[in-house]
Amino acid sequence: MIEVLRRLLRLLPSLITAFILALAVWISAVSSSDPLSERTYPNPLPIEIIGQDPGLVITSSIPSSVTVVLSAPQSIWNQLNTETGAVRAFLDLSGLEAGSHSVPVRVQISVRPVRKIAQSPQSITVTLERLASKEFPIRVVTRGSPAVGYTADSPTLSQTSVTISGPESQVNRVAEVQAIIDLSQATETITRTVNLVAVDANDNPVNGLSLLPDRVTIRQNISQRFGYRNVVIKVVVLGQVASGYRLTNISVFPPAVTVFSADPQIVSDLPGFIETEPLNINGLKDDLDISLSLNLPPGVSVVGDQTEVLVRVGIAAIESSLTLPSIPVEITGLQPGLSAVISPETITVIISGPVALLDRLRATDVRAVVDLTALTEGSYQIEPEVEILIAELKPESLLPESVEVIITRTTRSTSGTITP
């Protein structure tokens, strides 16, 4: 038995050498068929947070991802690139208290064999703060003022208080929570849902906080002051526009004004409108812009000392249509050496426009033309172009809409005459 052990001991170096050589040959064979490759992991590697105390909140900036360089056989790289979650990066905050901590970024690789060569960043400084919560009353802050003659009553809120939560240092900065509403030139009650804003003692917004609720509905009553009243403007019109024309509209700017009287009864007795001085439109043919004075009752004034309004009068010609039969079709642009035959030779043209201009229109003021420029021999269907000497008139339709034009080449006979 001792002799056998002695022989084994003498053979042990040879056996170890043979094993190492065999292992080297296997590694070489594997490496040649599936070579190692060192590269940067291509997929975004977001940083996960684990173990965080629910009573603490992170107030420092955390990088969104980690870059890692890995070494692995090509077959493993194919698996790393396609398998979701094969490589993970996380920060373990277990057991950490409030304060600043340097925490290593751990990279976990579920596929083997893979070797991590490098990573960036290696660690991250994490600042933890205690999570605080506090209740604040909501204060309404108004911007601007109602229109002259109106007043704003006390607002009502759908919620009168708000709970703020977040990092303790940020919660301690909050001086109040505001709901801001704009009353500029308001003339009627406003109901509006607005976002709540937490501000510090200098009225600067405090960010990074959660507000519950984060918005509130405000009802702001707007009422008219005693002795003030809104009235519309009524334009007093005299006369008629010129014959052949019609009145399209009369508009006034502003359409309403606010009036005031030291005797509220006078304002209360107004009929709801204020008249202008008379506007004479007799014989008008064109649009008109004119300033007119207001006819105010004694003791009544317009807020803002406005005594005139702008009145715009729209005038348009009364339009109709006229049918002109047997308008000859003329030819233009026919190339030399060609002749053309038109069928039919005359057309009917229906023309529309102001009645006064239609009454002046004569048949000789209208031409129907077909342009044969660049056309060669052949048969064509062409829509004539209608030219009217009076620019305000326009052709509505043609009967027929197109004419047939046959273009042929002219030939010279032996007698010297030209025949088509």
Side-chain angles (χ1 to χ4, degrees):
M1 185 64 179
I2 294 175
E3 185 64 26
V4 172
L5 291 175
R6 288 176 179 173
R7 289 180 180 179
L8 289 175
L9 289 174
R10 287 197 297 268
L11 293 175
L12 184 59
S14 300
L15 291 174
I16 293 174
T17 301
F19 175 76
I20 293 173
L21 290 174
L23 181 62
V25 170
W26 179 79
I27 292 174
S28 176
V30 169
S31 298
S32 60
S33 62
D34 193 7
L36 288 173
S37 177
E38 183 179 305
R39 66 183 81 158
T40 301
Y41 184 66
N43 299 328
L45 200 57
I47 298 177
E48 304 175 38
I49 306 295
I50 64 172
Q52 181 178 346
D53 188 327
L56 300 175
V57 62
I58 299 174
T59 58
S60 58
S61 177
I62 302 294
S64 59
S65 61
V66 174
T67 301
V68 294
V69 179
L70 305 177
S71 175
Q74 183 58 48
S75 60
I76 298 300
W77 270 112
N78 295 336
Q79 187 176 351
L80 288 172
N81 292 334
T82 57
E83 184 176 319
T84 303
V87 183
R88 294 174 55 218
F90 59 91
L91 290 176
D92 189 356
L93 307 184
S94 300
L96 298 183
E97 298 291 336
S100 293
H101 309 272
S102 181
V103 182
V105 180
R106 303 186 185 277
V107 176
Q108 185 181 71
I109 305 171
S110 61
V111 180
R112 293 287 186 273
V114 177
R115 186 163 62 95
K116 184 182 74 173
I117 304 300
Q119 76 175 62
S120 178
Q122 293 280 349
S123 62
I124 296 173
T125 299
V126 180
T127 301
L128 296 174
E129 282 194 49
R130 296 202 174 277
L131 189 64
S133 180
K134 193 173 181 181
E135 187 173 334
F136 285 85
I138 299 173
R139 185 172 80 87
V140 176
V141 177
T142 58
R143 299 280 190 261
S145 301
V148 177
Y150 290 84
T151 183
D153 300 334
S154 298
T156 57
L157 304 176
S158 60
Q159 184 98 6
T160 58
S161 62
V162 58
T163 300
I164 292 179
S165 59
E168 189 174 37
S169 62
Q170 292 294 86
V171 171
N172 290 338
R173 284 184 54 204
V174 177
E176 66 179 13
V177 177
Q178 299 177 349
I180 301 173
I181 185 169
D182 189 0
L183 305 182
S184 298
Q185 299 303 308
T187 58
E188 58 185 18
T189 296
I190 299 173
T191 301
R192 190 172 300 160
T193 299
V194 299
N195 293 325
L196 297 176
V197 181
V199 298
D200 60 16
N202 296 320
D203 219 25
N204 297 315
V206 180
N207 300 317
L209 298 173
S210 174
L211 284 71
L212 185 66
D214 61 351
R215 58 183 61 192
V216 67
T217 299
I218 304 175
R219 178 180 173 85
Q220 178 68 69
N221 291 324
I222 305 294
S223 58
Q224 199 160 42
R225 292 178 179 174
F226 200 52
Y228 290 83
R229 185 177 176 185
N230 270 12
V231 291
V232 297
I233 304 300
K234 179 182 178 182
V235 180
V236 179
V237 180
L238 300 178
Q240 297 292 332
V241 297
S243 177
Y245 292 84
R246 62 188 177 90
L247 184 64
T248 58
N249 73 289
I250 296 180
S251 52
V252 58
F253 303 93
V257 293
T258 301
V259 295
F260 168 77
S261 176
D263 184 355
Q265 189 61 44
I266 297 178
V267 173
S268 179
D269 291 341
L270 289 176
F273 62 86
I274 293 291
E275 293 183 342
T276 65
E277 63 177 314
L279 170 64
N280 191 349
I281 62 171
N282 201 43
L284 280 182
K285 295 182 179 180
D286 296 312
D287 294 343
L288 176 67
D289 285 0
I290 187 172
S291 293
L292 296 177
S293 298
L294 296 174
N295 187 13
L296 295 171
V300 175
S301 61
V302 176
V303 175
D305 295 327
Q306 181 176 350
T307 58
E308 293 185 342
V309 292
L310 174 64
V311 177
R312 289 182 173 172
V313 181
I315 305 291
I318 299 174
E319 294 197 352
S320 183
S321 62
L322 177 65
T323 301
L324 295 180
S326 303
I327 299 297
V329 180
E330 305 175 27
I331 293 175
T332 184
L334 184 64
Q335 297 182 33
L338 300 177
S339 63
V341 177
I342 298 177
S343 179
E345 296 181 348
T346 63
I347 61 173
T348 298
V349 181
I350 300 176
I351 299 173
S352 65
V355 171
L357 297 180
L358 289 175
D359 291 341
R360 291 165 39 196
L361 185 67
R362 295 174 298 176
T364 54
D365 295 332
V366 181
R367 296 177 61 207
V369 181
V370 289
D371 187 359
L372 305 184
T373 303
L375 297 182
T376 58
E377 299 172 80
S379 178
Y380 305 90
Q381 292 288 332
I382 303 176
E383 181 179 344
E385 299 244 351
V386 176
E387 299 175 359
I388 305 175
L389 294 182
I390 302 177
E392 290 83 355
L393 301 180
K394 61 182 180 180
E396 285 292 335
S397 63
L398 309 179
L399 300 174
E401 292 185 354
S402 61
V403 295
E404 181 184 53
V405 180
I406 300 176
I407 301 177
T408 58
R409 186 167 298 278
T410 58
T411 59
R412 185 177 298 274
S413 66
T414 56
S415 62
T417 60
I418 298 176
T419 60

